Amino acid sequence: PTQRLWVMQVEHAAIGVKAHAMERDEARQEVHRHQVEIQREGRHLTELDRALEHQHQTVLVRLAHAAEAVETDVAGPIQIDPHSTLPRPFEDAFAAVRDVVGRISEFGGDLSRVGVAGDSAGDNLAATAALACRDAGIALAGQLLVYPVTDVVGNFADPAENAKFPSRAENAEGYFLSRAVMEWFCGHYLANPALGTDWRVSPLRATSLKGAAPAVVTTAWFDPLRDEGHAYARALQAAG
């Protein structure tokens, strides 16, 4: 099994970048947003994985075209080993954002319009990287979170914790992603279940969300992650 960090991987502080826009030269001169896309999914590599990777790349290109944006695409596989558990992926994600911010002019981007985005576990990295940016004084223009993972306390196995999010029972199985698979993911990502309270994996548990970048949070109805996504959106709204 491997852990795919589809659009970002930092090795020795060096990252590779692809820029997508309707016209690259024009985009470098007139960029409305510079968007760092961070995604992380863990599973066996199959033909389905390759198809899904292509699907994500297609979505990224379309988003970049529609927003007249430059989108950084930093990709590479990370083997499941002791170094790929929390906090390594979070640290890599935050390092990638900082690197892009520090070299924004090289990509033809606008420092005032840098944002992060992802889906599912990738959103977990995007959301936590956004909080780390806030704490580091990096002002992000926004974060796009698509059916995010926001609270893994209990590893999706604790009945009391699961009861806080009814979608975990309502959509436990039958809709591609299952609660049992989320439990499996958490078991591999967290070396110790107690780490589930760490905001670097459970942004909903952060001491404060005040000052976090403006967010667009979208959820899927038939998804065990639905209600924690709603909860995170409400928490961000309450924090102003």
Side-chain angles (χ1 to χ4, degrees):
T2 64
Q3 187 179 67
R4 290 290 294 183
L5 195 58
W6 275 326
V7 294
M8 68 128 295
Q9 180 182 9
V10 178
E11 291 293 342
H12 306 299
I15 62 175
V17 176
K18 295 179 184 177
H20 297 287
M22 296 179 72
E23 295 291 342
R24 288 194 183 186
D25 292 339
E26 179 182 344
R28 289 194 176 101
Q29 297 172 9
E30 296 184 52
V31 173
H32 286 223
R33 179 178 297 128
H34 189 87
Q35 179 172 310
V36 179
E37 175 72 16
I38 300 169
Q39 299 174 358
R40 174 185 172 274
E41 294 286 355
R43 55 176 170 264
H44 294 281
L45 284 179
T46 63
E47 288 302 319
L48 175 59
D49 288 293
R50 296 184 181 91
L52 289 173
E53 184 172 355
H54 174 73
Q55 172 182 304
H56 278 83
Q57 187 60 38
T58 299
V59 172
L60 295 182
V61 172
R62 288 180 176 176
L63 283 173
H65 286 185
E68 296 182 358
V70 174
E71 170 259 327
T72 60
D73 182 357
V74 188
I78 295 180
Q79 299 298 319
I80 291 180
D81 60 30
H83 298 295
S84 66
T85 57
L86 187 76
R88 174 66 182 273
F90 159 78
E91 292 173 344
D92 284 353
F94 182 40
V97 178
R98 285 186 300 176
D99 187 84
V100 169
V101 168
R103 300 192 293 128
I104 194 71
S105 61
E106 296 180 29
F107 311 134
D110 182 344
L111 185 58
S112 68
R113 294 175 177 178
V114 177
V116 294
D119 77 296
S120 193
D123 263 348
N124 183 268
L125 292 181
T128 54
L131 292 178
C133 284
R134 174 202 63 183
D135 295 343
I138 299 173
L140 296 179
Q143 49 183 321
L144 173 60
L145 310 179
V146 183
Y147 39 86
V149 179
T150 66
D151 192 340
V152 303
V153 174
N155 277 29
F156 283 75
D158 186 289
E161 293 297 334
N162 287 340
K164 297 176 182 178
F165 307 109
S167 60
R168 292 186 181 181
E170 294 172 12
N171 304 318
E173 57 184 20
Y175 301 106
F176 189 70
L177 179 66
S178 68
R179 185 210 56 78
V181 168
M182 285 303 303
E183 182 181 343
W184 185 89
F185 283 152
C186 290
H188 285 76
Y189 189 43
L190 302 179
N192 184 331
L195 292 173
T197 60
D198 193 316
W199 66 269
R200 294 173 297 177
V201 68
S202 294
L204 187 57
R205 302 284 179 144
T207 302
S208 173
L209 296 177
K210 188 175 179 60
V216 173
V217 181
T218 68
T219 61
W221 187 256
F222 296 111
D223 182 1
L225 304 178
R226 182 193 68 209
D227 292 340
E228 64 192 86
H230 291 177
Y232 195 59
R234 290 193 296 269
L236 286 169
Q237 188 173 39

